[in-house]
Each structure stands twice: as C-alpha cells, then as structure tokens.
Amino acid sequence: MKSPVALLSSALLLAMSSSVFAASSVDLAVKGLITPSACAPSLSSGGIVDHGKISAKDLRLDGWTVLKSHNLQLGITCDAPTLLALKGIDNVGDAHDPRNSYGLGLVSGKKLGSFSLILSNPIADGAAISMIESSDNGLTWRASIPGDMWPASYLASFGDNTTGRWAPTPVQQVLADLMVATIIAPTAGMDLTTEVPINGSATLEVKYL
C-alpha cells in the first residue's frame, strides 16, 4: 500500500505533466457569418478618370501640381437592407501618404503622385443619409466632415446617431458623389523625356458588417 507521501508525489507529478502538456498546445477557431444578402457597387463612366495628355512643362519642378478633379457617381445595390461599409484598396501603391491617398506608381524611382477620394451627398433608399467613417475597422464610427477626403485606411459607411452614437444603418440602394482629386509630385529628378502614364488604380470593396 502506498504511503500518503507517495500518493501526494504522484498527484503532483501528474498535475505538472498535465500543465506542461497544456502549455504546449493552442486552439485555433475559424469563424465567420454567411449572409443571404449581396451588394453590388458600381461607378459611372466605367470607373475611369482620364486626365488626357499633360505637358511635362506644365508640371512644377519644386512643388505639387494639382490636376482637375473629376466627379463620378457611386451606386450600391443590395438584395435587401444590409449593414455595410466600403473599403478602399490601393492596387498600385507608392502613395506619398498611404493612410490617406492612393499611389500613381514610380518614375525614375520617385513617387509620381497620388489621388484622393471624397464621398458626399449620399442618398439611401430615397432619403438623405450621413456619411460616416471608422479608423478602427468598424469598432467605432464618427460623422465624416463634408468635403473632406475619405482616408484610404478608413472604412466609409452610411448611418445616423439616433441611438446617441454614430453607427451604420441597413441600406438597400445607395447613390453618392465620388470626387477624385489627383496631384503630381515635384518633378525634379524625374525623367519625363518620354511619355509617362498616370496609372492610379483602386478597388472599392463592400464589406458586410
């Protein structure tokens, strides 16, 4: 028959080995939610902003050159009222301020410039609605300042503050103005002796909340 001391030692050894085993493993959870609703975004003019040909002599060597802004119309159509947000994805990169704008690529190893997006005048299901934005991936929301750029690192949505805080509202059909503002960086050091394409590209993705 084992003594109480031996039994206690065995129990301690078992507990220690169990603790070591638990510390050597970790759980992985794969989660998500399949929604029956689907939303399709669209842009007028095929989503193309064409600045045409710009003479290199019209670009500033030591300062930024602001090109003419272009206005598009953004539409979103959903199968049913849906909580959603818009996320911008820079397909080219090399923006001078990637948190706020989208890049135009490189020329002679230098960043050519960038473009910014401004959303305004949203109409949801036939009624005016507020533009709202989130800098923390949808945890908190605030009203967008009219006329301010939509930062590339923010989510944009449509909502109200009827509960005392800003939050997205389910929408089924949305129309909004989308202004595209393009600037060219100082051209000193850029080789512009041959034609250089302005090749900005971004994807506007619907994110379901």
Side-chain angles (χ1 to χ4, degrees), residues 19-182:
S19 173
V20 169
F21 178 77
S24 301
S25 64
V26 64
D27 292 332
L28 169 67
V30 178
K31 295 184 177 181
L33 189 65
I34 297 174
T35 174
S37 298
C39 299
S42 63
L43 287 171
S44 62
S45 302
I48 296 174
V49 169
D50 189 354
H51 290 288
K53 289 194 173 184
I54 301 166
S55 171
K57 294 180 180 179
D58 293 333
L59 302 177
R60 299 179 61 185
L61 279 171
D62 55 358
W64 292 83
T65 303
V66 179
L67 303 185
K68 181 182 177 182
S69 297
H70 283 66
N71 293 300
L72 303 176
Q73 187 170 67
L74 168 71
I76 304 174
T77 302
C78 303
D79 295 335
T82 305
L83 281 173
L84 60 85
L86 288 170
K87 177 180 176 60
I89 301 169
D90 190 344
N91 298 324
V92 175
D94 300 315
H96 286 78
D97 183 6
R99 283 187 55 81
N100 291 303
S101 58
Y102 302 83
L104 300 176
L106 301 174
V107 178
S108 309
K110 296 181 176 294
K111 296 176 180 180
L112 176 59
S114 58
F115 66 94
S116 303
L117 303 179
I118 300 168
L119 281 167
S120 60
N121 305 319
I123 302 292
D125 303 320
I129 194 170
S130 296
M131 288 298 318
I132 61 175
E133 62 188 21
S134 172
S135 61
D136 53 14
N137 203 35
L139 292 177
T140 58
W141 296 88
R142 65 188 179 206
S144 302
I145 299 174
D148 268 13
M149 77 172 78
W150 164 27
S153 57
Y154 285 22
L155 294 180
S157 189
F158 315 92
D160 57 44
N161 64 346
T162 54
T163 62
R165 62 176 185 173
W166 289 99
T169 297
V171 293
Q172 186 165 0
Q173 190 165 36
V174 177
L175 291 174
D177 295 329
L178 178 69
M179 178 185 289
V180 182
T182 307

